[in-house]
Amino acid sequence: MAPSSSLSPPRVPMELHVKNRDKLLKSLRQHLSESSRPLHGFVLLQGGEEQTRHDTDHIELFRQESYFAYVFGVKEPGFYGAIDISTGESILFAPRLPAEYAVWLGEIKPQTYFKENYMVSTVCFTDEIARVLQDHYQGSGRPLLFLLHGLNTDSDKFSKPAEFEGMDKFDTDLETLHPILTECRVIKSELEIALIQYTNDISSEAHVEVMRNTKVGMKEYQLESLFLHHTYMYGGCRHCSYTCICATGDNSAVLHYGHAAAPNDRTLEDGDMALFDMGAEYHFYGSDITCSFPVNGKFTSDQSLIYRAVLDAHNAVISAMKPGVSWVDMHKLAEKVILESLKKGHVVLGNVDDMMAERLGAVFMPHGLGHFLGIDTHDPGGYLKDLQRRKEPGLKSLRTVRELQEGMVITVEPGCYFIDALLLPAMNNLETSKFFNQEVIERFKGFGGVRIESDVLVTAVGCNNMTKCPREIWEIEAVMSGAPWPLKNTSTNI
Amino acid sequence: MAPSSSLSPPRVPMELHVKNRDKLLKSLRQHLSESSRPLHGFVLLQGGEEQTRHDTDHIELFRQESYFAYVFGVKEPGFYGAIDISTGESILFAPRLPAEYAVWLGEIKPQTYFKENYMVSTVCFTDEIARVLQDHYQGSGRPLLFLLHGLNTDSDKFSKPAEFEGMDKFDTDLETLHPILTECRVIKSELEIALIQYTNDISSEAHVEVMRNTKVGMKEYQLESLFLHHTYMYGGCRHCSYTCICATGDNSAVLHYGHAAAPNDRTLEDGDMALFDMGAEYHFYGSDITCSFPVNGKFTSDQSLIYRAVLDAHNAVISAMKPGVSWVDMHKLAEKVILESLKKGHVVLGNVDDMMAERLGAVFMPHGLGHFLGIDTHDPGGYLKDLQRRKEPGLKSLRTVRELQEGMVITVEPGCYFIDALLLPAMNNLETSKFFNQEVIERFKGFGGVRIESDVLVTAVGCNNMTKCPREIWEIEAVMSGAPWPLKNTSTNI
Ligand SMILES: [Mn+2]
Ligand SMILES: [Mn+2]
């Protein structure tokens, strides 16, 4: 058996979702007051349903829709939930399960169970939505439903507004709820932060476990398996925030490696860098952590050069983060630190400001610096309030261009990659070819890339790195040769 | 680290899918000839697409649609595939990937890669389907497409026929393909059997690993984690055939425990029975194995009574299985053996034939005896050729009522459960109350249930149990107290 953990799964406080609802209600009421609209009607959300695979009866393990999870914390499929804007009452609508459910799927829980467990005012059945909401309505005329409809700026897809039988007796508002609820999710509460800290703790520990067990000759997926096992066995995390990226060698330059068409199946070779981007989820809240390290446990000078460039960028950003700081500026700061390091290492030549003007940073780091993190890995709200995406390479990949605010949790994940599909055009471009030291670039062919990703909470005066992995080169080498983590009698890392 | 394995992931022979296509083509041509229809046109299948979670960009790990997997063996999403009925040529249509794919998702593989890897005649792009099929067509008039459309009798859902741009230039046949292709899947080839044997081997080994590590005080999901880790780490199995059922105590009477609303989260208590139904998948082919055992490693006399009843049924069925035997008869045989054992144990009273006439077996075993197993856990084809589902309790749950044929792989999974939702009505029923020994039944309150499930290949003269778990009580107790598996110097189990 794998060595055990210092952690154990914490109790999940359902007060978290009570507070989420209070926050939403307050925010929505304030908006309605400011728009001189009546404080009546209902927020109505539809939870997710179990999905089968194509035409078969193979049921995919259900994970709740994220907005519904935020507001109600319900893990079971087939629910609806409402908040009465007049009274603040919360109502859950549970599916009416057939008697056979008890034989095949488990105890049919009484409504009191859901009422107590999810700390709501009332529990009814989903076939009673129309009647119950009509009965509760305190305004005049047809009751108004605030439904969730809005764009996810990462997927370019729209959320699906709730639908139920008898809906034609209600008026609906599709505009108001989405931006208000999304903004609630952007600023994390203390209870939310505690869960994200826990997923960071167990995932950080699992990353260390993976580092310690990485050996030349293994398959990439074996390290994925170790991570999944550690976070589930000891951390109680049944889901990951996203499919594990276990990239080694050249694969580490493939930003979203690990999917079905590139399934973590390469054999680790001596001299490879590993880039492992893996994060566990606990009670819907996630983590998103990347560690990069040499698979044989010892950095070469080229590996140190690139790793150091990225770590300096990571640390510079975290040192600069505080409320009011623009995320675009942080992205540029990371680019600049990386380009300066690459210049010191003779990978690029010339004036760094000129490189910045030509967006050379995006050749080495085509992705954005980071994204909000919460119930979704790419938590929504990055472009609220009519913020526009930038057009320039690199900046256009940013998942937010907002200024930092206290309570945001955002990933800091600078990277530096040698990607032929980007390098070759840039090296052949008249404006940018001069910056590249062809000979040195040639040396990095097949190197892949380095990413260092931490989850960072913005505080009143600065920020707090929630991720606790070995980051310094000497820390990584020590841990990979068997030293305990955290290291003893040393100054702590950022 | 967990102890290692004697197994390692085998090379996947793509000849398997070449042979699957040959078999389909032969079968379809024969059908067309017999119906005096021309031997022209194309089989056209559409592979699966990656799915995102609700409106987010969270992509679920893709697993190919099962019919497409059978015919083409393609692991990547977004493909179509055709077979030219005139020539036997196979054509894969790959998605045309945008240049950014190389940055974010990996190398854009050339068509020659797919042609060689999947052993097809030709590879084109999905936007060329209409033109390519028109060019290949050797018949007269509009080319005919045989599309997949038919009922899955486990899910009651229909498969989705292929759709593509330019389809209006073709005639389509929605009736012919589904029963023929489904029947191909029912009878397994040697190469298919070898993969199913491998998933059985690695899953059997993982079950033993789980047994050995089961301790009072653990959480059910920790055993799930051990199983997943063993089959992925050592077996290269990224997917399971289905969500793990790790049921202990009373939960072992919940037939499909383990889903999101009943998520393997109970703490193991001294005196519990465990019922662990878990099977890994490798290159689409699955396994489906259940082991039942006391969590503390020692059977009580009541546990032995129920376990022995189920094991005797399991062994009796396997001893009787051979081509020509009716699966309904096997189900009844299992019921009868269980009822006879329960009678010996004074759980039920009276004449077993009378009990059979009243369908008393279905009170203790409400599910069917077993189902076809292959690329789907509940592999299709159970009710082909207008076979009708039975109406009686227990028998109506059978996923097939067919006679056994050589090459079928079918699960044998008798069970005996104490389910209040079934026992209480039967004990209150005038016709059946007399059979129950109320006092003894009372003793089994909270017992849960026992299931023993093996994957069995029907051979020319009998059958072959592909599952290699400890089954005898003394074997289980030996393995749980540390003995190696397989046990040395002992006769083998069935
Ligand atoms: Mn990230
Ligand atoms: Mn089964």
Side-chain angles (χ1 to χ4, degrees):
Chain A
M1 279 183 53
S4 63
S5 164
S6 62
L7 300 162
S8 60
R11 188 187 78 85
V12 172
M14 282 297 157
E15 296 82 358
L16 187 158
H17 302 285
V18 175
K19 285 179 199 264
N20 288 353
R21 287 194 293 273
D22 288 348
K23 184 178 176 185
L24 169 62
L25 184 65
K26 193 175 157 199
S27 201
L28 180 56
R29 280 181 175 165
Q30 188 181 337
H31 172 89
L32 294 174
S33 296
E34 285 168 7
S35 329
S36 307
R37 295 173 65 184
L39 298 183
H40 295 307
F42 304 90
V43 169
L44 182 69
L45 296 179
Q46 181 172 0
E49 298 280 352
E50 281 182 332
Q51 302 293 324
T52 56
R53 198 162 64 200
H54 301 283
D55 62 323
T56 72
D57 67 348
H58 177 104
I59 296 176
E60 306 290 354
L61 181 60
F62 174 70
R63 196 275 201 179
Q64 187 57 273
E65 190 278 326
S66 297
Y67 281 98
F68 198 82
Y70 177 82
V71 178
F72 294 104
V74 171
K75 71 181 178 203
E76 294 87 354
F79 276 66
Y80 288 72
I83 303 173
D84 185 335
I85 293 164
S86 312
T87 63
E89 268 188 284
S90 51
I91 312 168
L92 269 182
F93 298 96
R96 201 184 288 272
L97 301 171
E100 312 95 77
Y101 186 96
V103 177
W104 297 90
L105 294 159
E107 190 200 349
I108 297 181
K109 289 171 180 143
Q111 298 193 338
T112 49
Y113 167 85
F114 293 114
K115 180 164 149 40
E116 278 164 34
N117 191 45
Y118 292 122
M119 301 178 72
V120 292
S121 321
T122 310
V123 177
C124 304
F125 288 115
T126 52
D127 52 24
E128 304 173 309
I129 296 175
R131 185 184 59 70
V132 170
L133 294 186
Q134 293 278 3
D135 288 355
H136 274 71
Y137 185 56
Q138 308 213 343
S140 57
R142 287 156 63 94
L144 182 60
L145 301 179
F146 292 90
L147 304 178
L148 193 68
H149 178 68
L151 182 72
N152 181 304
T153 51
D154 292 307
S155 66
D156 263 332
K157 293 185 177 180
F158 283 84
S159 48
K160 182 185 149 312
E163 284 178 27
F164 62 97
E165 193 142 327
M167 199 168 165
D168 50 321
K169 298 184 197 105
F170 296 81
D171 285 338
T172 58
D173 174 325
L174 289 168
E175 306 300 318
T176 306
L177 181 61
H178 189 270
I180 290 171
L181 178 51
T182 301
E183 187 61 26
C184 287
R185 288 178 60 184
V186 170
I187 307 299
K188 270 68 181 175
S189 71
E190 272 180 40
L191 289 173
E192 290 182 283
I193 290 164
L195 283 183
I196 298 172
Q197 184 61 62
Y198 172 70
T199 61
N200 261 273
D201 290 345
I202 189 70
S203 300
S204 295
E205 194 179 77
H207 269 283
V208 169
E209 176 72 9
V210 165
M211 276 184 198
R212 284 219 180 92
N213 285 286
T214 298
K215 301 277 178 293
V216 170
M218 291 176 84
K219 291 283 191 181
E220 293 165 340
Y221 66 72
Q222 295 187 295
L223 289 320
E224 177 182 7
S225 186
L226 275 170
F227 181 87
L228 298 174
H229 182 49
H230 192 90
T231 54
Y232 197 11
M233 182 82 183
Y234 304 111
C237 299
R238 196 176 201 186
H239 294 275
C240 271
S241 300
Y242 49 93
T243 300
C244 290
I245 299 171
C246 297
T248 61
D250 211 9
N251 294 332
S252 57
V254 177
L255 306 179
H256 291 168
Y257 184 74
H259 54 99
N264 296 333
D265 61 354
R266 182 175 172 278
T267 302
L268 278 57
E269 288 176 23
D270 200 17
D272 284 347
M273 278 299 282
L275 184 164
F276 288 171
D277 187 346
M278 309 186 285
E281 176 181 304
Y282 187 77
H283 186 67
F284 310 123
Y285 286 86
S287 59
D288 185 0
I289 298 174
T290 309
C291 293
S292 297
F293 55 91
V295 301
N296 65 14
K298 287 281 169 197
F299 283 81
T300 65
S301 61
D302 275 353
Q303 289 170 342
S304 294
L305 166 64
I306 305 304
Y307 187 85
R308 194 71 242 169
V310 177
L311 184 59
D312 286 347
H314 170 271
N315 294 351
V317 167
I318 292 177
S319 297
M321 282 171 66
K322 61 180 179 183
V325 163
S326 144
W327 195 240
V328 176
D329 289 346
M330 291 297 95
H331 182 94
K332 289 180 180 166
L333 172 60
E335 282 183 332
K336 189 160 186 179
V337 171
I338 289 168
L339 289 172
E340 278 164 354
S341 298
L342 292 180
K343 181 178 169 178
K344 268 188 225 140
H346 310 294
V347 180
V348 293
L349 311 164
N351 180 289
V352 169
D353 288 331
D354 293 347
M355 297 178 204
M356 290 292 288
E358 294 289 347
R359 305 287 326 119
L360 205 73
V363 175
F364 295 99
M365 181 171 87
H367 60 71
L369 176 64
H371 50 83
F372 296 143
L373 171 74
I375 295 182
D376 287 315
T377 306
H378 299 149
D379 226 28
Y383 288 92
L384 281 181
K385 297 164 188 160
D386 294 325
L387 286 172
Q388 295 301 309
R389 224 172 243 275
R390 303 280 294 244
K391 302 272 185 286
E392 305 97 310
L395 301 179
K396 74 180 177 194
S397 298
L398 279 168
R399 295 179 189 276
T400 183
V401 292
R402 290 176 65 163
E403 286 184 1
L404 297 179
Q405 285 173 250
E406 185 181 357
M408 286 178 172
V409 173
I410 193 160
T411 67
V412 174
E413 49 176 312
C416 179
Y417 314 87
F418 293 83
I419 303 172
D420 285 343
L422 298 175
L423 271 173
L424 298 180
M427 289 166 74
N428 287 324
N429 181 302
L430 281 180
E431 304 299 322
T432 52
S433 62
K434 62 177 181 248
F435 295 125
F436 296 94
N437 185 340
Q438 307 260 357
E439 202 176 309
V440 177
I441 297 275
E442 187 60 32
R443 209 172 73 215
F444 281 94
K445 209 171 167 61
F447 177 92
V450 165
R451 177 161 68 250
I452 301 173
E453 180 176 25
S454 297
D455 303 340
V456 178
L457 168 68
V458 181
T459 60
V461 294
C463 71
N464 172 23
N465 186 350
M466 306 173 87
T467 305
K468 294 168 185 163
C469 294
R471 291 305 194 194
E472 295 294 332
I473 287 174
W474 58 273
E475 289 175 330
I476 293 172
E477 291 185 341
V479 163
M480 288 185 75
S481 64
W485 179 257
L487 298 171
K488 284 172 186 146
N489 305 321
T490 63
S491 59
T492 53
N493 68 334
I494 197 160
Chain B
M1 278 183 55
S4 64
S5 163
S6 62
L7 300 163
S8 60
R11 188 187 78 85
V12 173
M14 282 298 157
E15 295 82 357
L16 186 158
H17 302 284
V18 175
K19 285 179 199 264
N20 288 353
R21 287 194 293 273
D22 288 348
K23 184 178 177 185
L24 169 62
L25 183 66
K26 193 175 156 198
S27 201
L28 179 58
R29 279 181 177 165
Q30 188 181 335
H31 172 89
L32 294 174
S33 296
E34 285 167 9
S35 329
S36 307
R37 295 173 65 184
L39 299 182
H40 294 308
F42 304 91
V43 169
L44 182 69
L45 296 178
Q46 181 172 0
E49 297 281 352
E50 281 182 332
Q51 303 294 325
T52 57
R53 197 161 65 201
H54 302 284
D55 62 323
T56 72
D57 66 349
H58 177 105
I59 296 175
E60 307 289 354
L61 182 59
F62 174 71
R63 197 275 202 179
Q64 187 57 273
E65 190 277 326
S66 297
Y67 282 98
F68 198 82
Y70 178 82
V71 178
F72 294 103
V74 171
K75 71 180 178 203
E76 292 87 354
F79 276 66
Y80 288 70
I83 302 173
D84 185 335
I85 294 164
S86 312
T87 63
E89 268 188 285
S90 52
I91 312 169
L92 270 182
F93 298 96
R96 201 185 288 271
L97 301 171
E100 311 94 78
Y101 185 96
V103 176
W104 296 90
L105 294 159
E107 190 201 350
I108 297 181
K109 289 171 179 143
Q111 298 192 337
T112 50
Y113 167 85
F114 294 114
K115 180 164 150 39
E116 278 164 34
N117 190 46
Y118 293 121
M119 300 177 72
V120 292
S121 320
T122 311
V123 177
C124 304
F125 288 115
T126 52
D127 53 25
E128 303 173 309
I129 297 174
R131 184 185 59 71
V132 170
L133 295 186
Q134 293 278 3
D135 287 354
H136 274 72
Y137 185 56
Q138 308 212 343
S140 56
R142 286 157 63 95
L144 181 61
L145 301 179
F146 292 90
L147 303 178
L148 193 68
H149 178 69
L151 182 71
N152 181 303
T153 52
D154 292 306
S155 66
D156 263 332
K157 294 187 177 180
F158 283 83
S159 48
K160 183 184 149 312
E163 285 178 26
F164 63 97
E165 192 142 328
M167 199 168 164
D168 52 319
K169 298 184 196 104
F170 296 81
D171 286 338
T172 58
D173 175 325
L174 289 169
E175 306 300 319
T176 306
L177 181 62
H178 189 270
I180 290 172
L181 177 52
T182 300
E183 187 61 26
C184 287
R185 288 179 59 184
V186 170
I187 307 299
K188 270 67 180 175
S189 71
E190 273 180 40
L191 289 173
E192 291 183 284
I193 290 164
L195 282 183
I196 298 173
Q197 184 60 63
Y198 173 70
T199 61
N200 261 274
D201 290 345
I202 190 71
S203 300
S204 296
E205 194 179 77
H207 270 282
V208 169
E209 176 72 9
V210 165
M211 277 185 197
R212 284 217 181 93
N213 285 286
T214 298
K215 301 278 177 292
V216 170
M218 291 176 86
K219 291 283 192 182
E220 292 165 339
Y221 65 73
Q222 293 187 296
L223 289 321
E224 176 182 7
S225 186
L226 275 170
F227 181 86
L228 298 175
H229 182 49
H230 192 89
T231 53
Y232 197 11
M233 182 83 183
Y234 304 112
C237 300
R238 196 176 201 186
H239 294 275
C240 271
S241 299
Y242 49 92
T243 299
C244 291
I245 299 171
C246 297
T248 61
D250 211 9
N251 294 333
S252 58
V254 176
L255 306 179
H256 292 167
Y257 184 73
H259 54 99
N264 297 334
D265 60 354
R266 181 174 173 280
T267 303
L268 277 59
E269 289 176 22
D270 201 16
D272 284 346
M273 278 298 283
L275 184 164
F276 288 171
D277 187 346
M278 310 186 284
E281 176 182 303
Y282 187 76
H283 186 67
F284 310 123
Y285 286 86
S287 58
D288 185 0
I289 298 174
T290 308
C291 294
S292 296
F293 54 91
V295 301
N296 65 13
K298 286 281 169 198
F299 283 81
T300 65
S301 61
D302 275 352
Q303 289 169 343
S304 293
L305 166 64
I306 306 304
Y307 186 86
R308 193 72 243 168
V310 177
L311 184 59
D312 286 348
H314 169 271
N315 294 351
V317 168
I318 292 177
S319 297
M321 283 172 67
K322 61 179 180 185
V325 162
S326 144
W327 194 240
V328 175
D329 290 346
M330 292 297 96
H331 181 94
K332 288 180 180 166
L333 172 61
E335 282 183 334
K336 188 161 187 178
V337 171
I338 289 168
L339 288 172
E340 277 164 354
S341 298
L342 292 180
K343 181 178 171 178
K344 267 187 225 140
H346 311 292
V347 181
V348 294
L349 310 164
N351 180 289
V352 169
D353 288 332
D354 294 346
M355 296 178 204
M356 290 293 289
E358 293 289 348
R359 305 286 328 119
L360 206 74
V363 175
F364 294 99
M365 180 172 85
H367 60 72
L369 175 64
H371 50 84
F372 296 143
L373 171 73
I375 294 182
D376 286 317
T377 306
H378 299 149
D379 225 28
Y383 288 91
L384 280 181
K385 297 164 189 159
D386 294 324
L387 286 172
Q388 294 302 309
R389 224 172 243 274
R390 303 281 294 244
K391 302 273 185 285
E392 305 98 309
L395 301 179
K396 73 180 177 193
S397 298
L398 279 167
R399 295 180 189 275
T400 183
V401 292
R402 290 176 66 162
E403 286 184 2
L404 297 179
Q405 286 173 248
E406 184 181 356
M408 286 177 172
V409 173
I410 193 161
T411 66
V412 174
E413 48 175 314
C416 179
Y417 315 87
F418 292 84
I419 303 172
D420 284 344
L422 298 175
L423 271 173
L424 298 179
M427 289 167 73
N428 288 323
N429 181 303
L430 280 180
E431 304 298 322
T432 53
S433 62
K434 62 175 179 248
F435 295 124
F436 296 94
N437 185 339
Q438 307 260 359
E439 202 176 311
V440 178
I441 297 276
E442 187 60 32
R443 208 172 73 214
F444 281 94
K445 211 173 163 60
F447 176 92
V450 165
R451 178 161 68 249
I452 301 173
E453 179 175 26
S454 296
D455 303 340
V456 179
L457 169 67
V458 182
T459 60
V461 294
C463 71
N464 172 23
N465 186 349
M466 306 173 86
T467 305
K468 295 168 186 162
C469 294
R471 291 304 193 195
E472 294 294 332
I473 287 174
W474 58 273
E475 289 176 329
I476 293 172
E477 292 187 342
V479 163
M480 289 185 75
S481 64
W485 180 256
L487 299 172
K488 284 169 187 149
N489 305 320
T490 63
S491 59
T492 53
N493 68 331
I494 196 163

